[in-house]
Structures are given as structure tokens and as C-alpha cells.
Amino acid sequence: MEHVADITRIIQLAVAPVFLLTAIGTILSALNNRLGRIVDRRRVLEDRVRKAPTQQEQPDPADVSELVLLARRISLIYHAIVLAIVCALCICMLVASAFLGVFVELDLARLIGTLFILAMVALIGSLWMLLREVFLAVKVGRHDILVKNLLK
């Protein structure tokens, strides 16, 4: 009967990491949506730049600089996605280790603690990359040009 109590306790403790997995899934969905929008914008600009030499000598420098910006944003989102997936994997291994520790009667407290710390570091890194990408999207893009045009 004591073994059932141990398993019940582990299930109770595993609920918080499972909620964390749900949050990470939501973050991954948002990151994938941002990536999709950036890639769509890049395709439009690449088509415009490819067609430019037939219509004029040089492609619009603003389009070329925006393509460079989009490449940077794609890189940041890619790294954010990788870190979010690493976080999710660490949480999954944490839950599996917790159950394994009960079934095999091993003291895996250090492993579980280490996995949790690694998951949090990966999550912080993922959110930091997302923050940097949002900063680039808002501060460096053509948004200030559009705002200046609206104010005229």
C-alpha cells in the first residue's frame, strides 16, 4: 500500500510540470506563427527583388535591408523554437525520472533538480530570443517610416 501512496504523490508532483508543458506548447505555437509570417514576408520581398533588375537597374535598397533584417529575425525565432523544445524535452525527462525513481527506488533528486534547472534556463533563453525578435520587428522595421507618413 505504501507503493501506491508513493505513486500517487509522484502523480501529484508531476501535474505542475505537465502544466508547464502546456505553456511551452502555447509558446511554440506563437513562435511558429511568427516564423510563418516572417517567411511569408520574406517571400514577397524576394519576389520583388528578383523582378527588380528587369524593371530597373538596382533593387530597392530598403527591400534588401529588410531582407537582411528578416534573416536575423528568422534566426532568432529558430533559436527560440529550439530552446523551447529543449525545455519541453527536459520537462518530459523530469517527469519520466520522477516515475522511474519511484518504480526502481532510486534517489534521482539531483537529476530531477538538474533537469528542472536546465528546463528553466532553456525557457528563459527561448523567451529572451522572442523578446529580441519582437524588438527587431518593432524598432528596426519599416514601422517608424509608416508612422512618420501618417503624421504628415
Side-chain angles (χ1 to χ4, degrees), residues 3 60 65 76 98 131 144-146:
H3 198 64
D60 184 7
S65 66
L76 287 169
L131 182 64
D144 46 315
I145 295 170
L146 296 174

Side-chain angles (χ1 to χ4, degrees), residues 7-18:
I7 293 172
T8 303
R9 183 175 52 86
I10 292 300
I11 290 172
Q12 289 171 343
L13 293 174
V15 169
V18 169

Side-chain angles (χ1 to χ4, degrees), residues 76 79-81 83-84 118-132:
L76 287 169
H79 287 96
I81 289 171
L83 287 169
L118 290 174
M120 290 300 100
V121 168
L123 181 59
I124 290 166
S126 177
L127 293 173
W128 183 256
M129 292 291 148
L130 174 61
L131 182 64
R132 288 179 61 195

